[in-house]
Amino acid sequence: MKMPCCKAALPNVLILLILWVPQSQATTLETELLALKAAVQAHRIEQDVTTLAGFGTRHTLSDTESNERGIGAARRWIEAEFRRISLACGGCLEIQVKGASISGEPRIPEPTDVVNVIAILRGVTDPNRYVLMSGDIDSRVSDPMDAISDSPGANDNASGMAGVLEAARVLSQHRFAASIVLAGLSGEEQGLFGGKILAEQAKAEGWYIEAVLNNDMIGNISGINGVVDNTSVRVFSEGTRAIETEAERRLRRFTGGEVDSPSRNIARYIDNLADRYFDNLDVMMIYRLDRFGRGGHHRPFNEVGFPGVRIMETNEHYDRQHQDL
């Protein structure tokens, strides 16, 4: 694992902090941000990617009983890691393991438990205000129904999950006005079900979510196009909100605002932070919800009205995603 995995995680850590530091503390903000940046350790991210890939497959339909292989072993390890991190901060994290039984779907035909593992660092004075960072637990090979073959998913998406775990280690050493949710989401490759489950939970519990930061493939620097680049990252964001009403659509038609959505402003904010705090990291704002014909776990949150973006590598290598080994 090279530095880009660490670089991709760093802006997210800074975003999570800066959204909660009161403006009255602006004089100390710079110092805190730089300290957080220095606290992120690439070797820990690499170790987490290696551990997750070592479960062989993390397919949503894979074994849930083994402690060495399959989605069950992976999510129990993530839960244990969150608990270890919480122990180091005096029990500061609220760990939740929640899911739903899904069936009758093209990629989940039989009843299957899709389980998320999340850690919440509750805010001190404004706990119902949230920023959420997510990574995907699951992996797959070319056949989305193949739950047996090796599917280590080091980049797609152990890298994103490792970024979330590292953010938990760093941010749990601090306290903030509002709440931080660090989420491992399942069922992404089978239909974004983990995101749907958590988005529904957030709506039901009345969370005020300011931003969803979806880490999806943040570890690869060598594109299938031959380009090797560890100095840039892409941020995808929706323009027109999915929950826009007909009246809002009509007003927007005459007044503009197609690029002024909350999600797009999160992307701008990420770009601004990178310009201010990183000497050699260019944030490329992509004015689309996601890549053509593809999807990510920010989308279920967008669909119910929460602002969110996808953060990922610039040059993709399609043999390092969910293709057969």
Side-chain angles (χ1 to χ4, degrees):
M1 186 61 56
K2 305 297 184 182
M3 274 300 293
C5 190
C6 184
K7 281 189 173 183
L10 283 170
N12 293 337
V13 172
L14 299 188
I15 294 159
L16 287 170
L17 173 64
I18 201 169
L19 283 169
W20 286 294
V21 174
Q23 291 304 304
S24 61
Q25 296 180 12
T27 55
T28 64
L29 177 58
E30 196 87 5
T31 301
E32 292 196 42
L33 287 173
L34 293 174
L36 282 177
K37 177 181 173 181
V40 173
Q41 299 297 311
H43 73 91
R44 293 191 302 222
I45 298 174
E46 180 178 5
Q47 288 173 355
D48 290 342
V49 171
T50 300
T51 298
L52 287 164
F55 291 114
T57 179
R58 303 187 305 281
H59 193 283
T60 300
L61 308 182
S62 64
D63 188 356
T64 60
E65 298 300 324
S66 171
N67 287 322
E68 298 178 353
R69 182 178 177 86
I71 187 71
R75 67 191 183 215
R76 285 191 293 274
W77 176 79
I78 291 168
E79 179 188 358
E81 194 63 16
F82 275 144
R83 294 195 183 282
R84 188 186 67 78
I85 294 168
S86 183
L87 185 63
C89 63
C92 69
L93 298 179
E94 177 185 323
I95 315 299
Q96 297 183 4
V97 181
K98 292 185 176 182
S101 179
I102 307 295
S103 63
E105 299 289 343
R107 294 186 180 183
I108 309 182
E110 301 299 328
T112 301
D113 290 334
V114 176
V115 180
N116 296 326
V117 184
I118 70 173
I120 303 175
L121 181 63
R122 292 289 180 186
V124 177
T125 60
D126 195 5
N128 201 48
R129 184 161 55 96
Y130 295 82
V131 165
L132 187 152
M133 180 192 290
S134 70
D136 305 324
I137 300 175
D138 58 311
S139 66
R140 54 164 276 207
V141 289
S142 297
D143 179 0
M145 302 305 294
D146 182 354
I148 304 299
S149 298
D150 281 349
S151 175
N155 187 44
D156 187 9
N157 185 25
S159 64
M161 189 67 237
V164 171
L165 289 169
E166 184 64 3
R169 294 185 188 100
V170 172
L171 295 171
S172 62
Q173 299 303 309
H174 303 264
R175 297 296 176 269
F176 306 96
S179 297
I180 299 172
V181 179
L182 300 146
L185 303 179
S186 294
E188 194 261 1
E189 300 291 1
Q190 306 307 107
L192 309 178
F193 289 104
K196 293 175 184 177
I197 291 168
L198 186 54
E200 290 171 2
Q201 176 186 340
K203 289 286 287 186
E205 296 180 4
W207 296 6
Y208 178 78
I209 296 183
E210 288 191 323
V212 174
L213 310 173
N214 174 32
N215 293 327
D216 198 340
M217 293 189 294
I218 62 173
N220 177 61
I221 65 171
S222 302
I224 203 165
N225 56 4
V227 173
V228 178
D229 174 26
N230 70 344
T231 65
S232 64
V233 61
R234 290 182 294 174
V235 179
F236 288 83
S237 60
E238 68 172 359
T240 303
R241 301 179 73 197
I243 62 170
E244 183 180 57
T245 66
E246 178 58 29
E248 289 169 336
R249 185 203 66 79
R250 177 175 173 78
L251 180 64
R252 179 177 53 78
R253 181 184 178 198
F254 293 101
T255 61
E258 293 83 358
V259 296
D260 295 332
S261 70
S263 296
R264 197 138 293 169
N265 283 322
I266 292 170
R268 291 189 180 97
Y269 194 61
I270 294 170
D271 186 20
N272 178 266
L273 280 180
D275 288 343
R276 288 166 59 190
Y277 294 102
F278 296 89
D279 296 330
N280 195 29
L281 181 63
D282 177 42
V283 171
M284 300 172 61
M285 290 182 55
I286 310 298
Y287 280 9
R288 292 199 307 274
L289 173 63
D290 213 314
R291 300 159 301 154
F292 292 120
R294 307 294 284 273
H297 255 146
H298 58 302
R299 194 174 85 194
F301 294 92
N302 289 156
E303 288 176 347
V304 297
F306 295 127
V309 299
R310 174 182 185 144
I311 301 171
M312 69 174 299
E313 62 208 25
T314 300
N315 296 285
E316 296 182 59
H317 198 304
Y318 302 108
D319 294 332
R320 298 176 182 175
Q321 296 181 6
H322 46 60
Q323 287 65 33
D324 293 337
L325 298 182

